[in-house]
Amino acid sequence: MREERRRRKLHLSKIYSFTCGKSSFKEDYSNIGGRGYSRVVFCNEPNGPEAVTQNYPDNYVSSTKYSLATFLPKSLFEQFRRVANFYFLVTGVLSFTKLAPYSAVSAILPLIIVIGATMVKEGIEDWRRKKQDIEVNNRKVKVHKGDGVFEHTEWKNLMVGDIVKVEKDEFFPADLLLLSSSYDDAVCYVETMNLDGETNLKLKQGLEVTSYLQEDVNFKDFKGTVKCEDPNANLYSFIGSLDFQEHQYPLSPQQLLLRDSKLRNTSYIFGAVIFTGHDTKVIQNSTAPPSKRSRIEKKMDKVIYFMFGILLLLSSVGSIVFGITTKDDLKNGLMKRWYLRPDNSTIFFDPKRAAAAAIYHSLTALMLYSYFIPISLYVSIEIVKVLQSIFINQDTHMYYEEADKPAHARTSNLNEELGQVDTILSDKTGTLTCNSMEFIKCSVAGVAYGRGVTEVEKAMGRRKGSPLIHEQVNGIELDDIRDSTDTKAPIKGFNFSDERIMNGNWVNEPNADVIQKFFRLLAICHTAIPEVDEETGKVSYEAESPDEAAFVIAARELGFEFYKRTQTSLSIHELDLASGKKVERVYKLLNVLEFSSARKRMSVIVKDEKGKILLLSKGADSVMFERLAKNGREFEEKTMKHVHEYADAGLRTLILAYRELHEEEYKEFDEKFSEAKNSVSADQETLIGEASDKVESNLILLGATAVEDKLQNGVPDCIDKLAQAGIKIWVLTGDKMETAINIGFACSLLRQGMKQIIIHLEAPEIQALEKEGDKIAIAKASRENVRRQISEGTTRLTASGGTSQQAFALVIDGKSLVYALEDGMKNMFLELAIGCASVICCRSSPKQKALVTRLVKSGTGKTTLAIGDGANDVGMLQEADIGIGISGVEGMQAVMSSDVAIAQFRYLERLLLVHGHWCYRRISLMICYFFYKNITFGFTLFLYEVYSSFSAQPAYNDWFLSLYNVFFSSLPVIALGVFDQDVSARYCLKFPLLYQEGVQNVLFSWRRIFSWMLNGFVSAIIIFFFCTKAMELQAFEKDGRTAGRDILGATMYTCVVWVVNLQMALAISYFTLIQHIFIWGSIVFWYIFLMIYGAMNPSFSTNAYKVFLETLAPSPSFWLVTFFVAISTLTPYFSFSAIQMRFFPLYHEMIQWVRHEGKTNDPEYCDIVRQRSLRPTTVGSTARVAARNRASNHR
């Protein structure tokens, strides 16, 4: 409690020298009350008469696709927008008329089953989303109920104007105006990872006038009116004013706490609710959940349209022939088709009304030939996709045991799309990284320390083919390193091991005094707050960013323990070089010069116990080396060499330097700095920067730090595999450019030697215009600047010829992206980006992430996959063809809006290369087979029509027609869709290039679809003519009876059942017991059905009455015809497949050959197969090793 009280009294606004500036009306507040700025909030009066009239929405949020009222109409619309379902609805209605060639029940029942099953599935999936919404909306927060009393209430009950109390580590339930906090000057730490992906803490500060409201009772009589901008999607702007105690105070983004960000390092805050529910900025940045359909399903609709064309053609041809034949039926009293009684006929066969008869016939034919369109196709695919999703969910290789999180396919509509991904758009923080930094190496006085091995080095070592444990780092075997480090419990943020400077051994090093200054700088130059555990005495730190925490922890572990901060001092336990004992030293804190993306450095000015004034600085090498004094460059060359090595290993580096200031020099600086800090002009930051620049010069170099932005396990290997599979990877992050580039190196998206095209708006002319504040001029100049940079990048790309040796990386910041995504420029930007091996977009807002995703999706026409873990990624996930949510440690917003949820980025490799490839192949083959079997069946109906002069008489019994797709040919195709594998999971991962079959849509191309259709027409012709010719002239039974329609129909149907099921057996690559049962069971079930149905009353079984037992079974010719027709029909397909497999194999067939011939472990043979690469691999550790080998050979 003492520590807590001490922290509460700390005036952080004096530590954070220029983050918390005061707003003034010199900024653009003139619009308040006008259009777009009309919101009025009555604080602490949510139910007041004036507040009620505003009619603001409540705080309930929903991510569901349906509501109770819209489920039935919207779901029915979803089903009947599928053209096949709509067609079957029309034929089902027509089956109740006299035109129908079959009974109405047999037509309408399958449709009801199909539509009902699909709607039930959709309802279950949406109910799961609903349950997640309920969990979020029912979270609790303290709200002021009156008389200074705060009670817990659910988030959904909050109203605009409510005063809420949010406590440490809680999420903000709505967009709040910060009134006060547990700190005296109303500051608080906020983690915005769910919004912009950044893990570093942001500092917010309430108005000074409300900072006294630190107790619950203070709100008993509190009243205030906020006038501000209307709800909008801009996360980084807020304009408003607070009318309080008859004064008006300006509000800025500094006072706005956004929904779904988290309160950190602050005991509590009080805030007034400004925006609720769907008005909040995070929800404004998200879009409504779209109805996503896979490319294969969309193409399947086109195939069905094509089948409709065939159906209409056959109906039209048949009707014309029928009309002509009917007209000629009665001439001069002579009847050609006497059995139709043309002299006394209904309109359907009346020669005098032949045209009308032909029209009626066309409607009947449309119903009869409906079997060309597979009614069970959609429902079979739905069943298969649900079962595929279950297999994805239960895959133990994608189960994250540490967090007890399996993979979860939240929708099954897009399984096959997982096998066709061309571009992955990934968030960085929490997706590629674990949100933790580890101090791993350092260079001090030109000597490299630290024997840790990074993820990148591990991946490169494996690619070289040498086990990592046999490699050496600084001459030490890595097994020894492991033996020495594994015994000690791991420390978060610290992965450093080097016996030369650990355990106080640094005092024996040649440059011990430099090492002392180096770690002392790490212990002092920061803004972290220590927390001492009173029971154990251990010190932990709350830092503004993970890397800052890593530095303080490293200093502590190496003997420089920062343990206490006051308003004006820092206290450290450190080893005294002279006495060799641990002593307590207090440094007086004079100034903090904060880090910013423009400055790229941070400094503190302190006074030690001897009265020396020291400036301690750490920053990026690009700005620090140029600030060194002539006598401070002793270790520059060696340090620079180490920094390049660290960068190549994917580490984030900072240069550490210091200088001593004279008293007069410091006084001059302090005056200028204080004057700049207290300025309220627009160029306040520029004045502060100028004052800082002058003092941060003539520095003496100490060394460099190397921190690993800890990637999730297996990220470099996963990216390498995905790159080998030909998938392009873009990183879209809200982080700074330097951070994003470092991560690019860490996960091998970038490498040394790769040419970088960097597009930003840091040009001097732009900065000069920004000082003047002319927004129109700034926009115009920025637009032209970005256009010029894109053009120059495209020219460089074109000049290189786009070879893999000249790989380019595109890095663009959020400001430039605003202009690059404009209509006149976005195609230029996309053309440049597509030509680059890697693309990194930094400082991207959630809206920009979604817009970039939309641009890639629409511009390339290829399948895009977005992957992220925070609320800032929701728009991107919903915009992409497939959204993958990482179910990480923070929030569930991304998961709730995703199509598939996984716990770690590395599982993407198996999800795409294994499950994606299998699902794509299964669904493709399944659809092709469906059309094949329905054409085989439907075309026999047409051929029989031709044979019987288009009399609209079906060749088969009504229930034979209805049950063909349901019982006799559906189960084997479902088994194919669930179990078939062209190659095993091991080979999918061993030969990632196999994935390109899906990207290039090899297995569902028009050529392949038409070849299966042709196979169906050929099969139907062979079956029909063999059966009719075999039974036409000779007696069918020994008593001399010839075959009639019942016998011919049953025989043809039997042949069709055998042929389509045996065709399935030939098409399958991977047999399971279930497939055997379904294929042979379907054939056996046909015979069982024929016996049971034939035994029923003739009024029900009609022409199938005892046809099998009394007629077909006793006849040898029936069995002979069945056998020879089946063999003859399958011979063309078998011959074609054998020739293709032997002489023109597809990529998966090549891998099958490798496995068949037992050459899976022959590296030379496997490399020959891999060399059929369809695009060069330009990113990943494989490309990094290849580039390094090329460079070595060149040298």
Side-chain angles (χ1 to χ4, degrees), residues 129-153:
R129 294 190 196 100
K130 176 74 174 174
K131 285 201 290 189
Q132 287 175 327
D133 287 343
I134 290 169
E135 188 271 322
V136 170
N137 288 311
N138 287 347
R139 287 178 185 171
K140 297 289 181 69
V141 69
K142 286 183 177 178
V143 64
H144 186 228
K145 294 293 186 181
D147 295 325
V149 177
F150 281 78
E151 295 176 5
H152 278 105
T153 190

Side-chain angles (χ1 to χ4, degrees), residues 564-628:
K564 184 180 178 185
R565 181 192 285 281
T566 69
Q567 194 171 321
T568 56
S569 68
L570 296 98
S571 303
I572 291 168
H573 288 131
E574 64 174 72
L575 195 66
D576 183 54
L577 200 57
S579 66
K581 294 180 180 177
K582 216 167 195 182
V583 296
E584 180 183 326
R585 292 219 165 98
V586 179
Y587 294 87
K588 187 177 180 184
L589 181 64
L590 303 176
N591 299 92
V592 175
L593 314 182
E594 263 212 330
F595 179 90
S596 73
S597 56
R599 285 166 39 77
K600 297 182 182 175
R601 63 190 181 279
M602 178 213 175
S603 304
V604 295
I605 300 174
V606 295
K607 184 182 279 190
D608 68 9
E609 292 169 337
K610 296 176 183 175
K612 285 184 184 176
I613 298 175
L614 301 171
L615 179 136
L616 309 176
S617 188
K618 63 185 182 190
D621 53 3
S622 59
V623 295
M624 292 297 286
F625 282 125
E626 66 190 31
R627 297 180 174 277
L628 299 178

